Amino acid sequence: MTLEISNLDVSIGNIPILRDVSLSVPSGKMFGLIGHNGAGKTTLMRAIMGLLDADQGTITFDGQDLRKTADFARAKAGISYMPEDRRLIPSLTVEENILLPAWTNGIKDAEERLKWVYDLLPEIAQFRDRRALQLSGGQQKLVSLGRALMPGRNLLLLDEPFEGVAPVLSRRLSEVISDLGSSGLCVLISESDDTHSADLVAGSYRIERGTVSKAGLETA
Ligand code: ATP
């Protein structure tokens, strides 16, 4: 199962944001997507998730054309996204937030997935009945990761997971992401530099002003 992006162009309104982006993330590998603020990392992840339309190019996962895949089918294919800004629903409990993608996308083994998420992140199991608005920013990051893991059994896109996170929690996030890497998931992690992702990934792509540099690919 490989994520393959070829010659992708994406505009927001009339403004071209991504130009001729090509990259590949093979099954069971974690790759970094490194670029400064405004380079286009979020735009690329949103395009993979179908939240933005592409002008041209191809995005496939395991041979499936993601440009023609509906949201629920994407979730059923095990593809998921952890947005940079968490986007939890403040009035819902932690558990309701985590279960939401399973409910909206009709994921059948939600109970087993939830148990797996709690095993991986026992700290969020502790406050499963608390409303999201009662959590610290760092705790919300972990819940956001837990929610992404509900559908995300094959491909996980992590948009700046370490941004704004205190050092202790960064170490914990690194541990969890590293555990995920050994479970066969295909993971793309964006970061403004490779401070946290360098030890986790098999290689990195560099994105600058909407262009991914193949020369920037370093394979560990
Ligand atoms: P950041 O960490 O700052 O979010 P990023 O690498 O994720 O950086 P993007 O958010 O993808 O970058 O933004 C890429 C470019 O697209 C930037 O120049 C940004 O200003 C522009 N952009 C993003 N969203 C919009 C929008 N809704 N309307 C217009 N331009 C946008």
Side-chain angles (χ1 to χ4, degrees):
M1 291 193 191
T2 303
L3 172 69
E4 292 280 358
I5 297 177
S6 300
N7 310 110
L8 187 74
D9 289 356
V10 176
S11 301
I12 298 180
N14 292 327
I15 307 163
I17 306 290
L18 301 182
R19 275 156 308 173
D20 201 23
V21 167
S22 298
L23 61 80
S24 166
V25 183
S27 194
K29 297 277 183 199
M30 285 203 259
F31 272 77
L33 179 68
I34 309 300
H36 298 306
N37 287 351
K41 305 179 296 294
T42 299
T43 303
L44 178 56
M45 291 194 172
R46 287 174 60 80
I48 298 169
M49 292 307 293
L51 299 167
L52 283 173
D53 284 333
D55 302 330
Q56 61 176 27
T58 57
I59 309 172
T60 64
F61 182 66
D62 195 23
Q64 183 175 355
D65 181 351
L66 295 189
R67 287 188 62 191
K68 293 188 182 142
T69 301
D71 287 353
F72 75 92
R74 201 179 303 267
K76 287 223 165 78
I79 299 167
S80 188
Y81 168 55
M82 175 184 170
E84 183 185 357
D85 55 1
R86 306 188 295 265
R87 305 245 177 104
L88 298 181
I89 299 179
S91 58
L92 295 186
T93 65
V94 164
E95 187 154 300
E96 287 165 343
N97 269 286
I98 295 172
L99 281 170
L100 206 56
W103 290 333
T104 51
N105 295 300
I107 290 169
K108 291 203 175 80
D109 58 350
E111 285 304 318
E112 286 130 77
R113 292 293 293 173
L114 184 65
K115 186 178 174 310
W116 177 74
V117 166
Y118 283 157
D119 285 347
L120 194 73
L121 291 160
E123 50 274 81
I124 64 174
Q126 281 173 25
F127 42 74
R128 65 179 80 182
D129 295 323
R130 257 189 242 168
R131 287 182 199 285
L133 60 86
Q134 296 172 290
L135 306 182
S136 71
Q139 289 169 329
Q140 289 189 28
K141 274 272 195 212
L142 292 179
V143 176
S144 173
L145 176 60
R147 179 184 55 185
L149 288 170
M150 285 298 286
R153 66 189 76 212
N154 292 321
L155 170 63
L156 196 58
L157 310 174
L158 304 177
D159 195 2
E160 304 207 38
F162 300 103
E163 181 63 28
V165 172
V168 172
L169 201 70
S170 281
R171 283 195 286 279
R172 178 68 187 125
L173 260 176
S174 287
E175 267 174 33
V176 177
I177 295 170
S178 169
D179 287 350
L180 288 172
S182 28
S183 72
L185 267 173
C186 186
V187 186
L188 188 63
I189 308 173
S190 79
E191 199 174 11
S192 54
D193 55 40
D194 65 358
T195 306
H196 298 95
S197 58
D199 291 342
L200 296 168
V201 299
S204 291
Y205 291 94
R206 295 212 168 262
I207 182 165
E208 273 176 69
R209 279 182 250 124
T211 303
V212 167
S213 125
K214 287 176 188 148
L217 175 64
E218 308 125 27
T219 323

